[in-house]
């Protein structure tokens, strides 16, 4: 039996070795043609790899960048270009830093100014817009373009964005209208010339409503929220404290309301709190009856941002002319 198995093992071993040798020779003889084929196909492989999903930006990568929403204090009159402007320096520094905080340069900016009220929400559509010096008693040089825009160029308007605003507002049941005669008021050009002293993106202004209704202005902002995903920056321009009876108060006023306001804007219940803002401590001291137009641009800003579940709010407090007031970036 052992001899028989030994004979079979020897035969099988010899056969296996011959078979391996045969395969090895066949493989070695095929190497040059394989290399030739690979060298021919290599450019095709490279092109296929470059066009493959691994190297193509995903839908998430191509998604438009969402702009934040800004509520900014615009100061008092042409405050940044008159004697005593140093008291406004912290606000000036904050405004000038805002463009660097944006995810990208906006294609256009919508400014909701406290200095324009209409019966219906109204949008500027005038081309070749000038500045509207809607203040009085300041030095003569503050009634020309150059102290604000150092190249002497007023920002362009954007008829396309203006029409888009009207469309969005009408879809939200607002009876929006256009104004082809109005120029840019100082609630726009005073702060925006600090943000963009030259080469400004196109700007469109949107009015407040004469109703001064808080709920209505939050809804106004909600109607505009889609603009954020269209690379349009929404800016509310006002003052979180604005009681002219306390101008240049001997002690700083407005702190209690301003602190409540900051907590309200940073809370998850910001919409309800802003609609009911009159219940806040010292609310009517900060904004007397029928004089809340400087607060309402904040309502528009919050409305435009509040549909974002992961909303973050950066708040900055300032003091000048005896007032405490704040600015907000909602992102």
């Amino acid at each position: 039996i052992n001899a028989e198995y030994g004979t079979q093992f020897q035969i099988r071993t010899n056969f296996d070795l011959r078979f391996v040798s045969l395969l090895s020779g066949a493989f070695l003889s095929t190497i040059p043609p394989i290399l030739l084929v690979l060298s021919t196909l290599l450019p095709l492989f490279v092109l296929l790899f470059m066009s493959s999903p691994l190297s193509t930006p995903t839908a998430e990568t191509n998604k438009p960048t969402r702009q934040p929403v800004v509520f900014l204090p615009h100061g008092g009159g042409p405050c940044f270009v008159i004697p005593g402007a140093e008291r406004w320096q912290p606000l000036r520094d904050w405004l000038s830093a805002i463009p660097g905080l944006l995810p990208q340069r906006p294609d256009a900016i919508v400014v909701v100014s406290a200095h324009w009220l209409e019966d219906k929400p109204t949008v500027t559509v005038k081309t070749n817009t000038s500045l509207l010096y809607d203040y009085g008693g300041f030095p003569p040089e503050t009634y020309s373009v150059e102290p604000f825009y150092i190249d002497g160029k007023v920002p362009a308007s954007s008829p396309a964005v203006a029409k888009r605003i009207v469309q969005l507002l009408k879809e939200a049941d607002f009876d929006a209208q256009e104004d082809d005669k109005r120029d840019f008021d100082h609630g726009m050009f005073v702060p925006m010339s600090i943000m963009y002293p030259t080469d400004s993106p196109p700007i469109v202004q949107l009015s407040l409503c004469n109703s001064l209704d808080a709920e209505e202005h939050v809804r106004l902002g909600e109607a505009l929220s889609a603009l954020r995903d269209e690379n349009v920056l929404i800016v509310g321009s006002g003052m979180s404290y604005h009681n002219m009876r306390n101008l240049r108060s001997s002690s700083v006023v407005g702190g209690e309301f301003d602190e409540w306001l900051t907590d309200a804007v940073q809370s998850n219940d910001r919409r309800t709190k802003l609609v009911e803002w009159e219940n806040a401590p010292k609310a009517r001291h900060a904004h007397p009856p029928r004089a809340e137009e400087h607060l309402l641009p904040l309502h528009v800003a919050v409305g435009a941002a509040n549909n974002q579940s992961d909303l973050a709010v950066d708040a900055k407090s300032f003091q000048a002319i005896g007032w405490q007031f704040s600015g907000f970036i909602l992102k």
Side-chain angles (χ1 to χ4, degrees):
I1 296 174
N2 289 339
E4 181 180 353
Y5 278 122
T7 303
Q8 291 179 1
F9 176 76
Q10 182 66 40
I11 294 172
R12 174 61 57 87
T13 301
N14 290 339
F15 174 79
D16 289 345
L17 289 175
R18 287 194 300 272
F19 183 70
V20 169
S21 176
L22 178 63
L23 287 178
S24 299
F27 176 74
L28 290 174
S29 66
T30 61
I31 287 180
I34 289 176
L35 291 178
L36 180 61
V37 171
L38 287 178
S39 64
T40 304
L41 294 178
L42 183 59
L44 179 60
F45 291 154
V46 172
L47 289 174
L48 289 173
F49 178 79
M50 293 296 290
S51 61
S52 70
L54 291 176
S55 61
T56 302
T58 63
E60 187 66 26
T61 303
N62 288 331
K63 184 178 179 180
T65 300
R66 171 175 285 180
Q67 287 289 352
V69 183
V70 178
F71 171 78
L72 54 83
H74 59 231
C79 59
F80 302 113
V81 297
I82 58 175
E86 63 276 1
R87 74 187 69 175
W88 299 98
Q89 189 63 44
L91 176 57
R92 183 188 187 104
D93 292 342
W94 183 74
L95 291 172
S96 64
I98 289 176
L101 302 176
L102 303 179
Q104 63 189 30
R105 177 182 168 87
D107 292 331
I109 302 174
V110 179
V111 178
V112 183
S113 168
H115 290 277
W116 187 21
L117 291 92
E118 297 283 353
D119 290 338
K120 304 173 182 179
T122 306
V123 181
T124 56
V125 294
K126 181 180 179 180
T127 55
N128 300 319
T129 310
S130 299
L131 302 186
L132 175 61
Y133 306 105
D134 52 339
Y135 46 66
F138 293 98
E141 60 270 19
T142 64
Y143 297 87
S144 60
V145 174
E146 283 73 15
F148 305 100
Y149 293 101
I150 58 178
D151 58 1
K153 297 180 180 178
V154 175
S157 183
S158 175
V161 172
K163 292 186 181 301
R164 175 67 171 143
I165 293 170
V166 171
Q167 175 194 1
L168 291 171
L169 293 179
K170 288 186 174 181
E171 289 174 357
D173 294 327
F174 284 98
D175 187 12
Q177 59 188 12
E178 300 177 355
D179 188 324
D180 61 1
K181 296 180 175 59
R182 184 178 174 86
D183 290 317
F184 293 139
D185 65 59
H186 82 274
M188 188 292 282
F189 71 78
V190 168
M192 299 309 296
S193 65
I194 301 300
M195 288 175 56
Y196 294 99
T198 61
D199 191 29
S200 171
I203 293 178
V204 175
Q205 274 200 242
L206 171 65
S207 76
L208 297 174
C209 298
N210 277 321
S211 68
L212 299 180
D213 181 75
E215 169 80 22
E216 182 177 20
H217 286 87
V218 173
R219 289 198 305 108
L220 196 67
E222 290 170 345
L224 300 176
S225 62
L227 294 173
R228 298 179 61 199
D229 293 320
E230 298 170 16
N231 200 31
V232 175
L233 178 66
I234 301 171
V235 175
S237 174
M239 292 288 287
S240 62
Y241 181 93
H242 196 262
N243 188 337
M244 298 301 289
R245 299 172 190 170
N246 293 317
L247 187 63
R248 296 183 177 86
S249 173
S250 58
S251 59
V252 176
V253 296
E256 190 172 355
F257 177 75
D258 192 63
E259 290 166 7
W260 173 89
L261 190 64
T262 297
D263 289 342
V265 175
Q266 292 181 326
S267 74
N268 292 329
D269 198 23
R270 62 182 66 85
R271 190 189 195 281
T272 300
K273 290 182 177 180
L274 283 180
V275 168
E276 301 173 355
W277 72 273
E278 293 175 80
N279 298 327
K282 299 292 182 69
R284 282 305 183 184
H285 177 267
H287 299 277
R290 297 300 302 172
E292 55 262 48
E293 76 285 339
H294 274 72
L295 179 64
L296 291 175
L298 175 59
H299 289 68
V300 179
V302 166
N306 203 41
N307 64 346
Q308 183 177 329
S309 60
D310 59 345
L311 186 66
V313 180
D314 293 339
K316 178 68 174 178
S317 181
F318 306 93
Q319 291 184 1
I321 59 174
W323 296 356
Q324 180 173 320
F325 49 91
S326 289
F328 303 97
I329 300 176
L330 302 96
K331 57 187 181 179

